[in-house]
Amino acid sequence: MKARLPQGMGGGPQNMQAMLRQAQKMQEDMAALQEDLDNREYEIKAGGGAVVLTINGKKQIQSLTIDKDIVDPDDTETLADVLTAAFNEAVRTVEDTNQKEMEKITGSISMPGMF
């Protein structure tokens, strides 16, 4: 007994080669995009601009500027809170941007471990 594939399924070697070419193109596009994303820089402000942090797409802090008015030796907790908020927002911004840009290529296909 022969199994019948639905219309559009199978297609033999030519269809398989087309799928492989499409997958290879997607992989190349993703690699180029990842390189672009890694080279991007983001400026994050926290504490009403009292802290300005620059981070790259690899989640490496490039610079940190702290307004002297927020530095109070008797209240280091406030400075720590503002710095924590800036770092968290920076990482979240990079991750969200990476995800949105990759989804443009993958079409929201789940690819665990890609980034």
Side-chain angles (χ1 to χ4, degrees):
M1 174 178 206
K2 285 187 173 181
R4 296 189 61 134
L5 295 174
Q7 185 76 18
M9 295 294 287
Q14 291 140 344
N15 193 27
M16 180 61 77
Q17 288 177 350
M19 285 176 41
L20 289 174
R21 280 193 302 274
Q22 184 178 9
Q24 184 176 11
K25 169 118 175 59
M26 181 185 288
Q27 185 178 20
E28 290 168 359
D29 291 348
M30 288 174 64
L33 177 59
Q34 188 61 58
E35 184 177 347
D36 175 53
L37 291 170
D38 287 349
N39 291 322
R40 290 185 187 183
E41 285 193 353
Y42 305 87
E43 182 177 276
I44 308 299
K45 296 180 181 182
V51 171
V52 180
L53 179 140
T54 304
I55 188 171
N56 68 16
K58 294 180 182 179
K59 301 177 196 165
Q60 297 168 331
I61 305 302
Q62 301 299 300
S63 67
L64 176 65
T65 305
I66 303 171
D67 188 315
K68 64 180 178 163
D69 294 336
I70 198 171
V71 180
D72 179 356
D74 296 327
D75 184 16
T76 57
E77 287 181 16
T78 298
L79 179 59
D81 289 345
V82 173
L83 289 172
T84 300
F87 293 137
N88 288 337
E89 180 62 25
V91 170
R92 188 171 28 256
T93 298
V94 172
E95 289 177 349
D96 288 349
T97 301
N98 287 356
Q99 180 180 358
K100 287 175 186 171
E101 292 292 325
M102 281 296 177
E103 283 177 357
K104 290 178 184 177
I105 293 176
T106 64
S108 302
I109 295 171
S110 177
M111 300 183 131
M114 286 302 293
F115 52 93

